Amino acid sequence: MNHYPNSTNKLFLQETIYPGDDKKTYFVAQAEVDNILASGLLPEFDLPGVDFASSAPKIAVMFTRDKHPDRDKADYSMPLATVESICLSGGRPCFISYEKATEQLEKIKPDGIYLPGGAFDVPLSWEEGEPEHPVDLKRCNVYVEMIEYAKKNKLPLLGICGGMQVLACYFGAKIKRIKAHREVAIKTFAHKIAIKEDSLLQKITGLSEMEVNSWHTWAVSENIIGNNVAHFSPDGVVEAVEPCNPWHKFVLGIQSHPEYFVKQGYAPAVNIFQSFIKECQHG
C-alpha cells in the first residue's frame, strides 16, 4: 500500500491463525497502536507485499478484534477473507483503529466505508427484550462515527453481520438474540434468503433468492425494522437491510458473510463486492 513511505507511525499487518480457529487473519498488536497514539500521532496501517493500482478506490475498513493467549490485550485484526474480497474486487483497504477514528478517516479520505462483523456491545436501547447489563460501547461508537462520516460525505457503505445490525439500528431498528443460525461452518451455505423485488440487492444480484452462510447469534428484530427495507430467511430472520432514504444509492447491510465466497467465484457474493467497489470508484 505504502501511502506513507517515510512515516514513523506506520504499522505493518502480519498474518496469523489464532488458537482454536482455522481462518487466516491479519493483525497488529494493540500495544503498538497504543504506543503511537501516546506519542501524539495517528496510526497508519500497511499490507506488506500488496500493490494496488493508483486508481483503486480507498475503502475504510474498521478493524475487528481477536485475543491471542500470548498477549494481555486483543489484537486489532482483520480476516483474510475480508481483505481478499476487497482487493479482488478492485479496492484498496485502509484500516481504522478505534481511537480517533474520525481523524483517521479525514486523513485517509476514503472513497467508501466497510463495516465488518464481529462480537461487540451495543446500546441497551437497541436490544429487544434484554435485561440491563454492562456494556462497552467503544467499538460500536466507531461504527456510528464511520456511518456518520459516510453520510456527511455521501459515500457508499457496505455493512456485514454486526456492521449490518448497527446500520439498521442507526435507521431505527432493534436487534434480538436468535438461535439456529450458527450451526454450520462459515464457509458452507446454510440456507437461502428471499430478495425483495426492485430492491438494491436484487439489482446487484439479479436474483429473487440467494444462498448464504450463517454465522450469527443476533439479528435485526422483525418487529422493529425501523426505516429499512428488509430481506428474510425462510424462518423469518432479517438477512439484509437497505435504508429507505439512503444518502447514496449504495448503502447496504448483509447479515451473512459473502466475503468468504468471493475468491471462490460465487456470483452473488462477487456481484455484491464488485458493485460496492464500482460505486466507490464513481464517488
Side-chain angles (χ1 to χ4, degrees), residues 185-236:
I186 197 169
K187 299 178 183 179
T188 303
F189 290 129
H191 56 78
K192 293 183 179 180
I193 68 170
I195 299 176
K196 285 198 171 182
E197 188 175 356
D198 295 326
S199 64
L200 172 61
L201 189 56
Q202 186 186 59
K203 292 173 184 176
I204 290 169
T205 63
L207 301 173
S208 60
E209 62 178 19
M210 61 180 279
E211 289 190 285
V212 298
N213 53 8
S214 192
W215 195 251
H216 57 107
T217 55
W218 288 80
V220 171
S221 171
E222 73 279 7
N223 300 314
I224 309 175
I225 294 173
N227 189 23
N228 297 282
V229 174
H231 308 266
F232 295 89
S233 63
D235 61 356

Short mmCIF file of all heavy atoms in Angstrom, two decimals, residues 185-236:
data_model
loop_
_atom_site.label_atom_id
_atom_site.label_comp_id
_atom_site.label_asym_id
_atom_site.label_seq_id
_atom_site.Cartn_x
_atom_site.Cartn_y
_atom_site.Cartn_z
N ALA A 185 -20.38 -24.50 9.32
CA ALA A 185 -19.15 -23.73 9.15
C ALA A 185 -19.40 -22.47 8.32
O ALA A 185 -20.28 -22.43 7.46
CB ALA A 185 -18.09 -24.60 8.47
N ILE A 186 -18.59 -21.44 8.58
CA ILE A 186 -18.79 -20.15 7.92
C ILE A 186 -18.56 -20.24 6.42
O ILE A 186 -19.07 -19.42 5.65
CB ILE A 186 -17.89 -19.08 8.57
CG1 ILE A 186 -18.37 -17.67 8.21
CG2 ILE A 186 -16.43 -19.28 8.16
CD1 ILE A 186 -17.70 -16.58 9.01
N LYS A 187 -17.80 -21.23 5.97
CA LYS A 187 -17.51 -21.38 4.54
C LYS A 187 -18.51 -22.30 3.85
O LYS A 187 -18.27 -22.73 2.72
CB LYS A 187 -16.09 -21.90 4.35
CG LYS A 187 -15.02 -20.97 4.92
CD LYS A 187 -13.62 -21.55 4.77
CE LYS A 187 -12.58 -20.65 5.42
NZ LYS A 187 -11.22 -21.21 5.31
N THR A 188 -19.64 -22.59 4.50
CA THR A 188 -20.64 -23.51 3.97
C THR A 188 -21.98 -22.80 3.85
O THR A 188 -22.38 -22.05 4.74
CB THR A 188 -20.80 -24.72 4.91
OG1 THR A 188 -19.54 -25.36 5.07
CG2 THR A 188 -21.82 -25.71 4.36
N PHE A 189 -22.70 -23.03 2.76
CA PHE A 189 -24.05 -22.48 2.63
C PHE A 189 -24.97 -23.11 3.67
O PHE A 189 -24.94 -24.32 3.88
CB PHE A 189 -24.61 -22.70 1.23
CG PHE A 189 -23.93 -21.89 0.17
CD1 PHE A 189 -23.46 -22.49 -0.98
CD2 PHE A 189 -23.78 -20.53 0.31
CE1 PHE A 189 -22.84 -21.75 -1.97
CE2 PHE A 189 -23.16 -19.76 -0.66
CZ PHE A 189 -22.69 -20.38 -1.81
N ALA A 190 -25.81 -22.28 4.30
CA ALA A 190 -26.71 -22.76 5.35
C ALA A 190 -28.18 -22.73 4.93
O ALA A 190 -28.96 -23.60 5.30
CB ALA A 190 -26.53 -21.93 6.61
N HIS A 191 -28.56 -21.71 4.17
CA HIS A 191 -29.95 -21.57 3.75
C HIS A 191 -30.02 -20.51 2.66
O HIS A 191 -29.01 -19.89 2.31
CB HIS A 191 -30.86 -21.21 4.94
CG HIS A 191 -30.43 -19.96 5.66
ND1 HIS A 191 -30.67 -18.69 5.18
CD2 HIS A 191 -29.77 -19.79 6.83
CE1 HIS A 191 -30.19 -17.80 6.02
NE2 HIS A 191 -29.62 -18.44 7.03
N LYS A 192 -31.21 -20.27 2.16
CA LYS A 192 -31.44 -19.21 1.18
C LYS A 192 -32.12 -18.02 1.85
O LYS A 192 -32.71 -18.14 2.92
CB LYS A 192 -32.30 -19.73 0.03
CG LYS A 192 -31.63 -20.80 -0.82
CD LYS A 192 -32.52 -21.21 -1.98
CE LYS A 192 -31.83 -22.26 -2.84
NZ LYS A 192 -32.67 -22.68 -3.99
N ILE A 193 -32.02 -16.87 1.19
CA ILE A 193 -32.78 -15.71 1.63
C ILE A 193 -33.63 -15.22 0.46
O ILE A 193 -33.25 -15.36 -0.71
CB ILE A 193 -31.89 -14.58 2.15
CG1 ILE A 193 -31.04 -13.95 1.03
CG2 ILE A 193 -30.98 -15.07 3.26
CD1 ILE A 193 -30.32 -12.67 1.45
N ALA A 194 -34.79 -14.67 0.78
CA ALA A 194 -35.67 -14.09 -0.22
C ALA A 194 -35.27 -12.64 -0.45
O ALA A 194 -35.08 -11.88 0.51
CB ALA A 194 -37.11 -14.17 0.23
N ILE A 195 -35.13 -12.25 -1.70
CA ILE A 195 -34.70 -10.90 -2.06
C ILE A 195 -35.90 -10.13 -2.60
O ILE A 195 -36.58 -10.59 -3.52
CB ILE A 195 -33.58 -10.94 -3.11
CG1 ILE A 195 -32.37 -11.69 -2.55
CG2 ILE A 195 -33.19 -9.53 -3.54
CD1 ILE A 195 -31.24 -11.88 -3.55
N LYS A 196 -36.16 -8.98 -2.03
CA LYS A 196 -37.33 -8.20 -2.43
C LYS A 196 -37.18 -7.65 -3.84
O LYS A 196 -36.10 -7.20 -4.25
CB LYS A 196 -37.57 -7.05 -1.45
CG LYS A 196 -38.17 -7.50 -0.13
CD LYS A 196 -38.78 -6.34 0.62
CE LYS A 196 -39.57 -6.84 1.82
NZ LYS A 196 -40.23 -5.73 2.53
N GLU A 197 -38.28 -7.65 -4.53
CA GLU A 197 -38.31 -7.14 -5.91
C GLU A 197 -38.01 -5.64 -5.92
O GLU A 197 -38.43 -4.90 -5.04
CB GLU A 197 -39.67 -7.41 -6.53
CG GLU A 197 -39.76 -7.10 -8.01
CD GLU A 197 -41.09 -7.49 -8.62
OE1 GLU A 197 -41.92 -8.08 -7.90
OE2 GLU A 197 -41.29 -7.21 -9.82
N ASP A 198 -37.26 -5.23 -6.92
CA ASP A 198 -36.90 -3.83 -7.15
C ASP A 198 -36.01 -3.24 -6.06
O ASP A 198 -35.86 -2.02 -5.95
CB ASP A 198 -38.15 -2.95 -7.30
CG ASP A 198 -38.97 -3.30 -8.52
OD1 ASP A 198 -38.37 -3.69 -9.55
OD2 ASP A 198 -40.21 -3.22 -8.46
N SER A 199 -35.41 -4.10 -5.25
CA SER A 199 -34.50 -3.63 -4.20
C SER A 199 -33.09 -3.47 -4.77
O SER A 199 -32.77 -3.94 -5.86
CB SER A 199 -34.47 -4.64 -3.05
OG SER A 199 -33.94 -5.88 -3.50
N LEU A 200 -32.23 -2.81 -4.00
CA LEU A 200 -30.83 -2.70 -4.38
C LEU A 200 -30.20 -4.08 -4.50
O LEU A 200 -29.46 -4.35 -5.45
CB LEU A 200 -30.08 -1.86 -3.35
CG LEU A 200 -28.55 -1.81 -3.50
CD1 LEU A 200 -28.15 -1.19 -4.82
CD2 LEU A 200 -27.93 -1.03 -2.32
N LEU A 201 -30.49 -4.96 -3.53
CA LEU A 201 -29.89 -6.29 -3.56
C LEU A 201 -30.31 -7.07 -4.79
O LEU A 201 -29.50 -7.82 -5.36
CB LEU A 201 -30.27 -7.05 -2.29
CG LEU A 201 -29.56 -8.38 -2.04
CD1 LEU A 201 -28.04 -8.20 -2.05
CD2 LEU A 201 -30.00 -9.02 -0.74
N GLN A 202 -31.56 -6.90 -5.24
CA GLN A 202 -31.97 -7.58 -6.46
C GLN A 202 -31.27 -7.00 -7.68
O GLN A 202 -30.85 -7.73 -8.58
CB GLN A 202 -33.48 -7.50 -6.65
CG GLN A 202 -33.96 -8.35 -7.84
CD GLN A 202 -35.42 -8.18 -8.14
OE1 GLN A 202 -35.89 -7.08 -8.43
NE2 GLN A 202 -36.17 -9.28 -8.11
N LYS A 203 -31.11 -5.69 -7.71
CA LYS A 203 -30.41 -5.07 -8.84
C LYS A 203 -28.96 -5.53 -8.90
O LYS A 203 -28.40 -5.72 -9.99
CB LYS A 203 -30.49 -3.54 -8.71
CG LYS A 203 -31.90 -2.99 -8.89
CD LYS A 203 -31.93 -1.50 -8.60
CE LYS A 203 -33.37 -0.97 -8.69
NZ LYS A 203 -33.45 0.47 -8.31
N ILE A 204 -28.35 -5.72 -7.74
CA ILE A 204 -26.96 -6.15 -7.69
C ILE A 204 -26.80 -7.59 -8.15
O ILE A 204 -25.92 -7.92 -8.94
CB ILE A 204 -26.40 -6.00 -6.27
CG1 ILE A 204 -26.23 -4.52 -5.91
CG2 ILE A 204 -25.04 -6.71 -6.12
CD1 ILE A 204 -25.94 -4.30 -4.44
N THR A 205 -27.67 -8.46 -7.64
CA THR A 205 -27.52 -9.91 -7.88
C THR A 205 -28.31 -10.41 -9.07
O THR A 205 -27.98 -11.45 -9.64
CB THR A 205 -27.95 -10.71 -6.64
OG1 THR A 205 -29.36 -10.48 -6.40
CG2 THR A 205 -27.14 -10.29 -5.42
N GLY A 206 -29.41 -9.71 -9.43
CA GLY A 206 -30.30 -10.19 -10.49
C GLY A 206 -31.13 -11.37 -10.05
O GLY A 206 -31.68 -12.10 -10.90
N LEU A 207 -31.26 -11.60 -8.73
CA LEU A 207 -31.91 -12.79 -8.21
C LEU A 207 -33.11 -12.44 -7.33
O LEU A 207 -33.21 -11.34 -6.79
CB LEU A 207 -30.92 -13.60 -7.36
CG LEU A 207 -29.63 -14.09 -8.06
CD1 LEU A 207 -28.70 -14.71 -7.03
CD2 LEU A 207 -29.98 -15.07 -9.17
N SER A 208 -34.01 -13.42 -7.19
CA SER A 208 -35.12 -13.31 -6.24
C SER A 208 -34.81 -14.04 -4.95
O SER A 208 -35.49 -13.85 -3.94
CB SER A 208 -36.41 -13.87 -6.85
OG SER A 208 -36.24 -15.23 -7.18
N GLU A 209 -33.77 -14.88 -4.95
CA GLU A 209 -33.27 -15.52 -3.75
C GLU A 209 -31.81 -15.89 -3.96
O GLU A 209 -31.35 -16.03 -5.09
CB GLU A 209 -34.10 -16.76 -3.38
CG GLU A 209 -34.08 -17.86 -4.41
CD GLU A 209 -34.89 -19.08 -3.98
OE1 GLU A 209 -35.74 -18.96 -3.07
OE2 GLU A 209 -34.67 -20.16 -4.54
N MET A 210 -31.09 -16.05 -2.85
CA MET A 210 -29.68 -16.42 -2.95
C MET A 210 -29.29 -17.26 -1.74
O MET A 210 -29.89 -17.15 -0.66
CB MET A 210 -28.79 -15.18 -3.03
CG MET A 210 -28.85 -14.25 -1.84
SD MET A 210 -27.79 -12.78 -1.98
CE MET A 210 -26.21 -13.48 -1.49
N GLU A 211 -28.29 -18.11 -1.94
CA GLU A 211 -27.78 -18.93 -0.84
C GLU A 211 -26.78 -18.12 -0.03
O GLU A 211 -26.00 -17.34 -0.58
CB GLU A 211 -27.13 -20.19 -1.38
CG GLU A 211 -28.11 -21.19 -1.96
CD GLU A 211 -27.44 -22.52 -2.25
OE1 GLU A 211 -26.70 -22.57 -3.25
OE2 GLU A 211 -27.65 -23.48 -1.48
N VAL A 212 -26.79 -18.34 1.28
CA VAL A 212 -25.89 -17.62 2.18
C VAL A 212 -25.34 -18.57 3.24
O VAL A 212 -25.93 -19.62 3.53
CB VAL A 212 -26.60 -16.44 2.88
CG1 VAL A 212 -27.10 -15.42 1.87
CG2 VAL A 212 -27.74 -16.94 3.76
N ASN A 213 -24.21 -18.18 3.82
CA ASN A 213 -23.74 -18.85 5.02
C ASN A 213 -24.43 -18.21 6.22
O ASN A 213 -25.21 -17.26 6.08
CB ASN A 213 -22.22 -18.79 5.14
CG ASN A 213 -21.68 -17.38 5.03
OD1 ASN A 213 -22.43 -16.40 5.02
ND2 ASN A 213 -20.37 -17.24 4.94
N SER A 214 -24.18 -18.70 7.41
CA SER A 214 -24.90 -18.19 8.58
C SER A 214 -24.01 -18.33 9.80
O SER A 214 -23.69 -19.45 10.22
CB SER A 214 -26.20 -18.98 8.77
OG SER A 214 -27.04 -18.35 9.71
N TRP A 215 -23.61 -17.19 10.39
CA TRP A 215 -22.64 -17.21 11.47
C TRP A 215 -22.94 -16.06 12.43
O TRP A 215 -22.17 -15.14 12.59
CB TRP A 215 -21.23 -17.11 10.89
CG TRP A 215 -20.12 -17.47 11.82
CD1 TRP A 215 -19.22 -16.61 12.39
CD2 TRP A 215 -19.78 -18.77 12.32
NE1 TRP A 215 -18.33 -17.28 13.19
CE2 TRP A 215 -18.65 -18.63 13.17
CE3 TRP A 215 -20.32 -20.03 12.14
CZ2 TRP A 215 -18.06 -19.69 13.84
CZ3 TRP A 215 -19.72 -21.11 12.78
CH2 TRP A 215 -18.62 -20.93 13.62
N HIS A 216 -24.12 -16.12 13.06
CA HIS A 216 -24.51 -15.03 13.94
C HIS A 216 -25.50 -15.52 14.99
O HIS A 216 -26.22 -16.49 14.77
CB HIS A 216 -25.11 -13.87 13.14
CG HIS A 216 -26.31 -14.24 12.30
ND1 HIS A 216 -27.58 -13.85 12.63
CD2 HIS A 216 -26.42 -14.96 11.17
CE1 HIS A 216 -28.43 -14.30 11.72
NE2 HIS A 216 -27.76 -14.99 10.83
N THR A 217 -25.52 -14.84 16.13
CA THR A 217 -26.43 -15.16 17.22
C THR A 217 -27.34 -13.98 17.56
O THR A 217 -28.17 -14.07 18.47
CB THR A 217 -25.66 -15.58 18.48
OG1 THR A 217 -24.72 -14.55 18.82
CG2 THR A 217 -24.90 -16.88 18.25
N TRP A 218 -27.18 -12.88 16.86
CA TRP A 218 -28.06 -11.72 16.96
C TRP A 218 -28.58 -11.38 15.57
O TRP A 218 -27.93 -11.67 14.57
CB TRP A 218 -27.33 -10.50 17.53
CG TRP A 218 -27.01 -10.58 18.99
CD1 TRP A 218 -25.98 -11.27 19.57
CD2 TRP A 218 -27.73 -9.97 20.06
NE1 TRP A 218 -26.00 -11.12 20.93
CE2 TRP A 218 -27.06 -10.33 21.27
CE3 TRP A 218 -28.86 -9.16 20.13
CZ2 TRP A 218 -27.49 -9.89 22.51
CZ3 TRP A 218 -29.29 -8.73 21.38
CH2 TRP A 218 -28.62 -9.09 22.54
N ALA A 219 -29.74 -10.77 15.52
CA ALA A 219 -30.32 -10.37 14.23
C ALA A 219 -31.22 -9.16 14.45
O ALA A 219 -31.67 -8.89 15.57
CB ALA A 219 -31.12 -11.51 13.62
N VAL A 220 -31.48 -8.45 13.39
CA VAL A 220 -32.44 -7.35 13.44
C VAL A 220 -33.82 -7.92 13.73
O VAL A 220 -34.23 -8.94 13.16
CB VAL A 220 -32.45 -6.58 12.11
CG1 VAL A 220 -33.59 -5.56 12.07
CG2 VAL A 220 -31.11 -5.87 11.90
N SER A 221 -34.54 -7.29 14.65
CA SER A 221 -35.87 -7.76 15.02
C SER A 221 -36.86 -7.52 13.89
O SER A 221 -36.94 -6.40 13.35
CB SER A 221 -36.36 -7.03 16.27
OG SER A 221 -37.72 -7.32 16.52
N GLU A 222 -37.62 -8.55 13.55
CA GLU A 222 -38.65 -8.40 12.53
C GLU A 222 -39.80 -7.53 13.03
O GLU A 222 -40.62 -7.03 12.25
CB GLU A 222 -39.18 -9.77 12.09
CG GLU A 222 -40.08 -10.47 13.08
CD GLU A 222 -39.30 -11.20 14.17
OE1 GLU A 222 -38.06 -11.05 14.25
OE2 GLU A 222 -39.96 -11.92 14.96
N ASN A 223 -39.84 -7.30 14.36
CA ASN A 223 -40.90 -6.47 14.95
C ASN A 223 -40.57 -4.99 14.87
O ASN A 223 -41.48 -4.15 14.87
CB ASN A 223 -41.11 -6.86 16.41
CG ASN A 223 -41.52 -8.31 16.58
OD1 ASN A 223 -42.38 -8.80 15.87
ND2 ASN A 223 -40.88 -9.00 17.50
N ILE A 224 -39.27 -4.66 14.87
CA ILE A 224 -38.85 -3.25 14.84
C ILE A 224 -37.75 -3.11 13.80
O ILE A 224 -36.56 -3.13 14.11
CB ILE A 224 -38.37 -2.77 16.22
CG1 ILE A 224 -39.41 -3.10 17.30
CG2 ILE A 224 -38.10 -1.26 16.20
CD1 ILE A 224 -38.98 -2.77 18.70
N ILE A 225 -38.15 -3.00 12.55
CA ILE A 225 -37.19 -2.92 11.44
C ILE A 225 -36.73 -1.48 11.22
O ILE A 225 -35.67 -1.24 10.66
CB ILE A 225 -37.82 -3.51 10.17
CG1 ILE A 225 -38.07 -5.01 10.36
CG2 ILE A 225 -36.96 -3.28 8.95
CD1 ILE A 225 -38.83 -5.67 9.24
N GLY A 226 -37.50 -0.53 11.72
CA GLY A 226 -37.13 0.86 11.54
C GLY A 226 -37.32 1.31 10.10
O GLY A 226 -38.12 0.75 9.34
N ASN A 227 -36.56 2.31 9.71
CA ASN A 227 -36.68 2.89 8.36
C ASN A 227 -35.78 2.13 7.39
O ASN A 227 -34.86 2.67 6.80
CB ASN A 227 -36.30 4.37 8.42
CG ASN A 227 -36.61 5.09 7.11
OD1 ASN A 227 -37.45 4.66 6.33
ND2 ASN A 227 -35.92 6.19 6.88
N ASN A 228 -36.05 0.82 7.26
CA ASN A 228 -35.23 -0.06 6.43
C ASN A 228 -36.11 -0.97 5.58
O ASN A 228 -37.19 -1.40 6.01
CB ASN A 228 -34.35 -0.97 7.30
CG ASN A 228 -33.36 -0.20 8.15
OD1 ASN A 228 -32.32 0.24 7.66
ND2 ASN A 228 -33.67 -0.06 9.43
N VAL A 229 -35.64 -1.28 4.38
CA VAL A 229 -36.17 -2.39 3.59
C VAL A 229 -35.47 -3.65 4.09
O VAL A 229 -34.25 -3.65 4.28
CB VAL A 229 -35.89 -2.20 2.09
CG1 VAL A 229 -36.32 -3.42 1.29
CG2 VAL A 229 -36.57 -0.95 1.58
N ALA A 230 -36.22 -4.73 4.34
CA ALA A 230 -35.64 -5.94 4.91
C ALA A 230 -35.83 -7.14 3.99
O ALA A 230 -36.85 -7.26 3.32
CB ALA A 230 -36.25 -6.24 6.28
N HIS A 231 -34.82 -8.01 3.97
CA HIS A 231 -34.87 -9.28 3.25
C HIS A 231 -34.78 -10.39 4.28
O HIS A 231 -34.02 -10.28 5.24
CB HIS A 231 -33.70 -9.37 2.26
CG HIS A 231 -33.59 -8.19 1.35
ND1 HIS A 231 -34.14 -8.14 0.09
CD2 HIS A 231 -32.96 -6.98 1.52
CE1 HIS A 231 -33.87 -6.98 -0.47
NE2 HIS A 231 -33.15 -6.26 0.38
N PHE A 232 -35.52 -11.50 4.06
CA PHE A 232 -35.69 -12.51 5.11
C PHE A 232 -35.22 -13.89 4.68
O PHE A 232 -35.25 -14.24 3.50
CB PHE A 232 -37.16 -12.60 5.51
CG PHE A 232 -37.71 -11.37 6.16
CD1 PHE A 232 -38.26 -10.35 5.39
CD2 PHE A 232 -37.67 -11.21 7.54
CE1 PHE A 232 -38.77 -9.21 5.98
CE2 PHE A 232 -38.17 -10.07 8.14
CZ PHE A 232 -38.73 -9.06 7.36
N SER A 233 -34.83 -14.69 5.70
CA SER A 233 -34.61 -16.12 5.51
C SER A 233 -35.95 -16.83 5.67
O SER A 233 -36.93 -16.23 6.12
CB SER A 233 -33.60 -16.65 6.53
OG SER A 233 -34.10 -16.50 7.83
N PRO A 234 -36.04 -18.12 5.30
CA PRO A 234 -37.32 -18.83 5.40
C PRO A 234 -37.92 -18.86 6.80
O PRO A 234 -39.14 -18.94 6.94
CB PRO A 234 -36.97 -20.24 4.92
CG PRO A 234 -35.82 -20.05 3.99
CD PRO A 234 -35.02 -18.94 4.61
N ASP A 235 -37.08 -18.78 7.84
CA ASP A 235 -37.62 -18.81 9.21
C ASP A 235 -37.92 -17.42 9.75
O ASP A 235 -38.18 -17.25 10.95
CB ASP A 235 -36.68 -19.56 10.14
CG ASP A 235 -35.30 -18.90 10.24
OD1 ASP A 235 -35.05 -17.92 9.53
OD2 ASP A 235 -34.47 -19.40 11.03
N GLY A 236 -37.89 -16.41 8.88
CA GLY A 236 -38.30 -15.07 9.27
C GLY A 236 -37.22 -14.18 9.83
O GLY A 236 -37.51 -13.06 10.29
#
